[in-house]
Amino acid sequence: MNWRLRVVHRTGYHYTLPATQSYNEARLTPRSDHTQTVVTNRLDTTPATREYRYTDYWGTVVSAFDLHTPHTAFSVVATSVVTTSGPRPPIRTHTWADLRRPDVTDAYAEYLQPTAYTPLDAELERMAHTLSARTTPADAVFAIAQWVRDELTYRPGSTGVHSSASDAWLAREGVCQDYAHVVLVMLRAIGIPARYVSGYLYGEPRARPGRTVHGESHAWVEVWTGGWWAYDPTNALPVGARHVSVARGRDYADVTPLKGVFTGGGTSTLDVAVHLTRLG
Amino acid sequence: MSPRRPPADRTDVGSYPTAELPTVARLPTAVFPMAGHPTAAFPMAGHPTAALPMAGHPTAALPMAGHPKAALPTAAEWKRLERGVAQRVWAFEAFLADVYDSTDDARVLADGVLPRRLVTASERFRREAVGVAQPVRVVIASVDVVRDEHGAFRVVADDLSCPAWPAYVAPHLLRALRAVTRAATHDADLASSATAPSRANAGATGSRAAASHATDSVVVALAPGESALARQPGVTAVAARDLVCRNNVVYHRDRRVDVLYRAIADDLLDPLHFQPDSVHGVSGVLNAARTGSVVVANAVGNGLGEDPVIHSFVPQFIEYYLGESPILPTVDPQSFHTTQLLPITGHAQGFSDLPAGLSTVDNSPFGGLRLFAVNDGVDVTVLSDSASTSELSTSNIPQQSSTVDTTVLW
C-alpha cells in the first residue's frame, strides 16, 4: 500500500551575538529508490542563500549554502512530498557461509567495520553470537533488534547526538539513533553488513489523509543478507509506508541532517520541528 | 665544487652484470664504515676540493671505489629514473582519478585489480572528496629511491599529498599549475560546446579565451610557512584568513582564485568537511573544487595512494592503467634484513648548496635520493637536487626541463 507524505523539517539557529559567516550542509532530501519516490523537494533558508546541490559518496543529496551577512538567527526549512510503499519481506537468499565469502566481505567491508559511533563492544558481541547461534541471518536481525528493544529504555534526552552505541549500552537507555547504533554493532559483530538510515516516521498507523502530526527525525537500519532490506529496531517494525528515508551511511556521522561552521555568533541554540502530513 | 666523475664509466642498471658487483650481503658492514654515517664516510663532505686531492683519478677518490653503485645516478640511470618516476606518477594519477571520480564504478575495483575493501577501509580514503573531479590530481610528487644490494634503484616511498620541495622546483610547479588551469578552463568550455577535440589535445588547442584566462589566472599558495612558490611572478602567498569562499568561489580580496596550491594536510584544509577547528583552512574550499571553480593542488584525498597496503599495488596499477611493465622496482622488504642498503653519496640531499631560506625541505638525513615530479596533465617533468644532477654530467643530463611522455590508456 502506498502513502503520500509531506515532510516539513524546520531547523532554527539562534546566536547570542551576530554570526558573520556560516557554511552549512544539509542532508534533508529524501532519496528516490525502489521503495519510495520523491515528488517534490525544496529547501528554504532565512536569510536567503544560494543552494548548491551535489550527491555525496553515500548517494545522499547534499544541499550546501553559505551566509556572509551578520545574522543572529538562521532557519532552514526542508519541504518534501514523498510517495512511500509498504514493507518488503526480509531477504533470505544468503546463509552464514555465503556472508563469509571473500567477495561479500570485500564488497561490504565498510558496513562490517566498527566506527566511532559503533565501536567494538565485547559484551554486545558475545550477546550477538548467542542470539544468532541457531538462526538464519535474517532471523538473527529480528532476534537482535528485539533483544535491544527489551534491554534499552526509550528516553529522549538521555543521550546526545554524540553518544556512541557503547554510551547508550552502558546507560541502558537512549533514542532511535542509539537503538540503531547498538543494533549495528551487534550485526557487524556476527558478519551481517549493516548500515544506518536517517529519515522520518509518521506516528499514526491508521491516519486519514489530510492529518498532520508532529514528528521527529528517525533512524533505523538496513542489513544485507543477499540484498539490502530495512528494519526499524526502535519500534520493532518493518520499514514501510510510514517511513521516509533520507540518508544512509555507516553511522550517524555519515548522515548528519545539518552541519555547519560559523564565525562569531557567541553561543548558539538550536530548535528542530518536524511536521508530517499524510496527503494520500 | 662537487666531485667529478666521467659519466662514461656507468652503464644502464638493467644491463649491469651483477657478478661484477660484490653484493653487500657478502661484504661485512665494516667495509662500509660510512653506513649510517654518510659524512664520516666521506672525509670530503663539506670540503669537496680538499677531499679530492687526486682529481683526475676519480675512482681513487671514492673510498667505496670497489662499489661504484653506491654513488649518484649515472646519465643512463638518470634517464631510467626519469622514465620510472613519470610512469609512477601517471599510474597514481589514473588510480586516484578512477577511485575518486566514482568509487562505486571505479574500474580498478570492478575488475578486481585492487580489492575494494582496501580502499573503503583505508584511513587515507577521503569519502568527502569523491566526485570532486580535477583536471590533474597529482601536480607535484616526490619519489624516494635507494640502491639495493645489486646497485639498482628501488622506490621506497611516494608523497602525493603535500610533498616538500626545494626552491628550484617552483618555476616548474607554477608552469604546471597554469597549464592545469588552462585545461580546466578548456574542459569547462568543452562542456558547453558540442565540438570537443580529444582531451589529449586540450593543452594545444585551447581557445583564445582559455589562453588569456590562464595568463591571468590567479594562483595562490596556502602554506603554514614560507613557500618558494610565492616568490614566483604572479603567485601570492596567502594565509587562511586572506581567503574566503562565497557561493563556491574562492576569493583572495576581490580576485577570483583559479588555483589554490596548498601545503597543508587534507584534514586542515576545509573546516566544513574536516577538522572544524582548523585555523589553517578555508571553509567551503572542497565544494568550490567540486564545482570546478578552483583547482586545488594537490587534490584532496591523494594520500590514499600512500596507504602502505595500496602502495604495494603500484606495479599492478602501472600494468593495469598504462599497459606497461614497471620501470622502477619497489623495495623488497627482505633486502632490509639481508643487506645493508647503500646510502647514496655525494650527499646532496641536504640541499646544503642552497641558501637556507630557499629550501623548503626538511634536511633530515636520508640514505637515498629524493626525486620530484611535476605533472601538468600532459607531461611529467622529473627533477632532482641540482647538486646531485650537476654531478652527473655537464652535457646531456636533462637537469630541469626534461619531459617524459607517457600515454594513459584511458
Side-chain angles (χ1 to χ4, degrees), chain A residues 21 23 25 50 52 54 57-58 64 66 68 106-107 109-110 113 250 259-261, chain B residues 103 115-117 120-121 127 130 244-248 271-273 283 287 290-291:
Chain A
Q21 262 184 0
Y23 295 85
E25 281 196 348
R50 195 193 300 175
Y52 165 61
Y54 71 92
Y57 173 81
W58 305 104
D66 46 87
H68 300 274
D106 186 58
E110 59 199 325
Q113 286 176 331
R250 292 162 298 180
K259 68 169 187 180
V261 291
Chain B
T103 315
R116 184 174 293 270
R117 69 179 183 283
T120 58
R127 290 173 171 79
V130 171
V244 64
C245 279
R246 249 187 233 112
N247 292 319
N248 302 309
L272 177 59
H273 285 97
S283 290
N287 284 347
R290 201 185 303 276
T291 67

Side-chain angles (χ1 to χ4, degrees), chain B residues 110-177:
Chain B
D111 288 346
V113 175
L114 180 72
R116 184 174 293 270
R117 69 179 183 283
L118 300 185
V119 171
T120 58
S122 172
E123 291 188 349
R124 307 295 303 274
F125 180 41
R126 292 283 168 268
R127 290 173 171 79
E128 299 86 345
V130 171
V132 181
Q134 297 223 178
V136 176
R137 297 195 59 94
V138 185
V139 181
I140 169 85
S142 72
V143 178
D144 291 349
V145 295
V146 294
R147 285 193 189 274
D148 67 10
E149 65 274 29
H150 303 298
F153 282 108
R154 287 179 180 267
V155 176
V156 283
D158 302 85
D159 189 335
L160 315 163
S161 305
C162 302
W165 37 263
Y168 64 80
V169 172
H172 300 276
L173 178 55
L174 178 59
R175 184 186 55 74
L177 291 171

